[in-house]
Amino acid sequence: MNDENTNAADFEEPVTRLTRARAKALGPSGGMLPPLRPSQGQKRVLRAKSKRAALDENKASAVATASFQHKRRAVLKDVTNVSCENSNFNNASKVQTTRRDPLKKNAKAASNSSGAILPIQEDAKARLAEELSKIKVAESEEFTVPVKLEEDEQVPHSRQYGVENKMLLVQAFQKRVGLRSFRKKEEDEVFEKSIASKGLDIVDIDSNLKDPQACSLYAPDIYDNMHITELERRPSVNYMEELQNDITPNMRAILIDWLVEVSEEYKLVPDTLYLTVNLIDRFLSHNFIGKQRLQLLGVSCMLIASKYEEICAPRAEEFCFITDSTYTRGEVLKMESEVLNFLHFQLSVPTTKTFLRRFIQAAQSSYEVPCVELEFMANYLAELTLVDYSFLKFLPSLIAASAVFLARWTLSQSDHPWNSTLEHYTSYKASELKNTVLAMEDLQLNTKSCPLNAIREKYRHHKFKSVANFTSTERVGSLFSSAG
């Protein structure tokens, strides 16, 4: 090893000597010369020197290509499994030769030096253009047919054809997205024509694509899927009568009213409260539980919902503390395990809050300036239904639509609270909301004089514009009686 290092040091100057062929290959731009491979002795250096002297002008570009390729390989050597400390340049060149075709390396270097496109790249572009044309034809015929590439017509890979060919992949992706945008534009045109033919004034709330988090392109499909999921994962509507004989709807109302205060104490998001109530009802629909463990079930479900919805969820010890240490940490974690195992960890459930965001957006489409009171009022009415056991017979989407209906009527009785835009996005007609809206109005007016006021006190606060104090001068039932 010492002899090799000595020989390489002794003959360093002849190895890096600049020849006319190499200078011409570098072109007028000049630049730093890439290092050549260290020799093993004087004999190999003299042989390399004689070979370089024998090169003609036609082979100059190939020598420059090999030099530049070696420099790039030295930069990317950490990508492979070859260690730069334990392997010499000869071993690195062998690994490089086995992984990359010299013809493809020459194609990349030639494109960098002269800007010419070699036939192999032209073939790649031709195949890509042909495949894109097939994609366009396939999408114009049927939107849901997935595009499959044959083995001999695959999109060129950047590792196969060089780094600059990544632009081909980017262009392919951009054209693919462009085709989707074009398809969305055509669907919007068909939607507008169908609306115009029916004489309806429906506002397209998904037309604004500036916010990428809104997922406006996929929002209709997402909410269509949610309408199906709410049917699959809804709790039983009569589990108190059929299964539970130790707890009553009033006990459930007291528990949820207390959980509202807990969510306010820990500043939890509304989605956590809705998911907590959903988990409680789904567990009680098929599992008998005594009244002594009902509060334990409530804090365990809120712990699960907090882990799912919150960024920083409260710890199990905090839920034990909020119950005045009625339950231990081990009991809370055991109940948490029972709930999760029973539900098979299916926590992605569309709640009333999920649909409420969409429906409020549709209700705000007719306003020049968004109405904050409408949003707070709809949320207030929807949360009132969490306490009442009888509202389990209504779907979450139906409760959300009814909350928007009653909120608009409470704030203004000048116009009818339902329009074609809301009917389109909620999939409910005004007549279908009658029973839910009337029951919700009884909760709003507290006709049963329920003493549970956690939600009312929450929305009497000025940060919610004190919407709990608002009432309409005319009962909403007059709308349905006049329609009938």
Side-chain angles (χ1 to χ4, degrees):
M1 179 63 69
N2 294 333
D3 295 338
E4 292 179 357
N5 295 334
T6 304
N7 295 336
D10 294 340
F11 296 97
E12 181 178 0
E13 182 176 357
V15 171
T16 59
R17 186 174 61 85
L18 179 65
T19 62
R20 294 181 180 180
R22 295 183 63 207
K24 186 175 181 179
L26 291 175
S29 60
M32 297 297 295
L33 289 175
L36 295 178
R37 299 176 181 175
S39 61
Q40 300 295 332
Q42 181 179 5
K43 185 176 180 180
R44 181 175 298 181
V45 172
L46 294 177
R47 186 184 300 120
K49 179 179 178 181
S50 60
K51 288 184 178 180
R52 286 195 301 270
L55 292 175
D56 54 2
E57 295 181 356
N58 294 331
K59 296 182 180 180
S61 60
V63 175
T65 300
S67 300
F68 279 112
Q69 184 68 17
H70 177 70
K71 182 176 181 180
R72 185 177 65 82
R73 183 65 184 92
V75 176
L76 299 178
K77 60 188 176 183
D78 293 336
V79 178
T80 63
N81 295 327
V82 180
S83 175
C84 58
E85 298 179 357
N86 300 329
S87 302
N88 53 26
F89 286 95
N90 292 331
N91 294 334
S93 63
K94 291 179 181 179
V95 175
Q96 181 181 352
T97 304
T98 58
R99 294 199 175 201
R100 299 175 182 268
D101 192 350
L103 179 59
K104 295 170 184 177
K105 294 189 298 180
N106 294 341
K108 178 184 181 303
S111 63
N112 289 335
S113 60
S114 61
I117 301 177
L118 293 182
I120 187 171
Q121 293 180 336
E122 294 178 355
D123 295 340
K125 288 187 175 181
R127 289 197 298 270
L128 181 60
E130 182 181 356
E131 187 57 42
L132 289 175
S133 63
K134 292 181 179 180
I135 294 174
K136 185 174 182 180
V137 172
E139 289 198 349
S140 62
E141 294 177 354
E142 186 175 0
F143 295 148
T144 59
V145 176
V147 178
K148 296 183 179 180
L149 302 179
E150 301 296 335
E151 295 181 357
D152 56 343
E153 294 181 348
Q154 294 189 359
V155 178
H157 198 279
S158 59
R159 183 177 295 180
Q160 181 179 0
Y161 288 104
V163 178
E164 59 271 288
N165 277 284
K166 289 182 179 179
M167 293 303 298
L168 297 177
L169 299 176
V170 173
Q171 293 174 2
F173 176 76
Q174 290 176 347
K175 290 184 178 181
R176 177 69 175 173
V177 174
L179 291 175
R180 290 180 179 177
S181 301
F182 178 74
R183 183 182 69 180
K184 179 64 168 59
K185 184 177 180 181
E186 288 184 342
E187 291 178 352
D188 293 340
E189 292 177 355
V190 173
F191 172 77
E192 293 175 358
K193 291 180 180 179
S194 61
I195 294 304
S197 62
K198 294 179 181 179
L200 301 178
D201 185 15
I202 297 178
V203 180
D204 186 8
I205 64 176
D206 298 320
S207 59
N208 187 10
L209 300 177
K210 295 181 180 179
D211 186 7
Q213 295 183 348
C215 300
S216 300
L217 185 63
Y218 310 103
D221 295 333
I222 291 174
Y223 280 91
D224 288 343
N225 181 67
M226 287 182 180
H227 279 285
I228 300 175
T229 308
E230 70 173 342
L231 293 172
E232 297 175 349
R233 299 179 184 177
R234 64 179 305 190
S236 174
V237 300
N238 56 354
Y239 65 83
M240 286 288 184
E241 295 80 8
E242 292 187 352
L243 180 61
Q244 307 296 335
N245 55 13
D246 198 25
I247 60 176
T248 62
N250 188 40
M251 293 181 183
R252 174 188 178 275
I254 295 174
L255 173 65
I256 295 176
D257 186 78
W258 176 75
L259 290 175
V260 173
E261 296 179 352
V262 174
S263 64
E264 286 296 297
E265 178 70 21
Y266 292 137
K267 294 179 171 53
L268 305 180
V269 297
D271 302 78
T272 302
L273 178 62
Y274 281 94
L275 181 58
T276 301
V277 177
N278 179 270
L279 297 178
I280 292 174
D281 290 327
R282 288 168 64 193
F283 186 82
L284 291 177
S285 297
H286 301 88
N287 297 273
F288 172 81
I289 194 170
K291 58 184 178 182
Q292 296 83 4
R293 302 178 67 225
L294 183 60
Q295 190 180 18
L296 175 61
L297 174 64
V299 295
S300 300
C301 290
M302 181 161 278
L303 176 61
I304 297 171
S306 300
K307 292 180 180 179
Y308 186 82
E309 297 287 355
E310 301 291 333
I311 298 177
C312 297
R315 298 176 301 165
E317 291 81 2
E318 297 181 72
F319 286 107
C320 295
F321 173 78
I322 206 69
T323 60
D324 196 15
S325 300
T326 305
Y327 308 103
T328 63
R329 180 177 182 272
E331 290 176 325
V332 173
L333 296 180
K334 182 179 179 182
M335 177 60 71
E336 177 191 19
S337 177
E338 291 181 13
V339 174
L340 289 174
N341 288 327
F342 171 75
L343 298 177
H344 302 288
F345 291 82
Q346 295 179 351
L347 306 180
S348 299
V349 181
T351 61
T352 302
K353 183 64 177 178
T354 307
F355 294 100
L356 202 57
R357 290 190 177 94
R358 176 76 166 175
F359 299 164
I360 291 176
Q361 183 184 2
Q364 301 272 22
S365 61
S366 60
Y367 299 157
E368 296 181 359
V369 180
C371 182
V372 182
E373 288 81 2
L374 174 63
E375 182 177 356
F376 290 153
M377 177 62 73
N379 282 283
Y380 165 61
L381 297 173
E383 285 189 24
L384 285 177
T385 62
L386 294 176
V387 181
D388 199 329
Y389 167 76
S390 62
F391 273 82
L392 286 178
K393 62 178 176 287
F394 301 118
L395 290 174
S397 60
L398 183 61
I399 296 176
S402 302
V404 173
F405 186 102
L406 185 57
R408 296 193 64 181
W409 176 252
T410 304
L411 297 177
S412 176
Q413 294 85 37
S414 59
D415 298 328
H416 196 281
W418 213 241
N419 53 36
S420 55
T421 301
L422 284 167
E423 181 178 336
H424 173 75
Y425 287 103
T426 62
S427 301
Y428 291 110
K429 297 180 180 180
S431 58
E432 298 174 339
L433 305 177
K434 178 180 178 179
N435 296 333
T436 313
V437 170
L438 294 178
M440 191 177 294
E441 188 184 36
D442 291 338
L443 287 179
Q444 181 187 19
L445 301 177
N446 197 12
T447 56
K448 298 180 181 180
S449 300
C450 180
L452 305 175
N453 294 321
I455 298 177
R456 303 181 194 277
E457 293 297 330
K458 172 183 175 180
Y459 282 93
R460 285 194 181 105
H461 199 273
H462 66 275
K463 71 176 182 179
F464 295 111
K465 302 295 183 181
S466 302
V467 294
N469 298 326
F470 295 173
T471 55
S472 59
T473 58
E474 184 180 358
R475 296 292 295 264
V476 72
S478 60
L479 296 176
F480 300 104
S481 60
S482 61

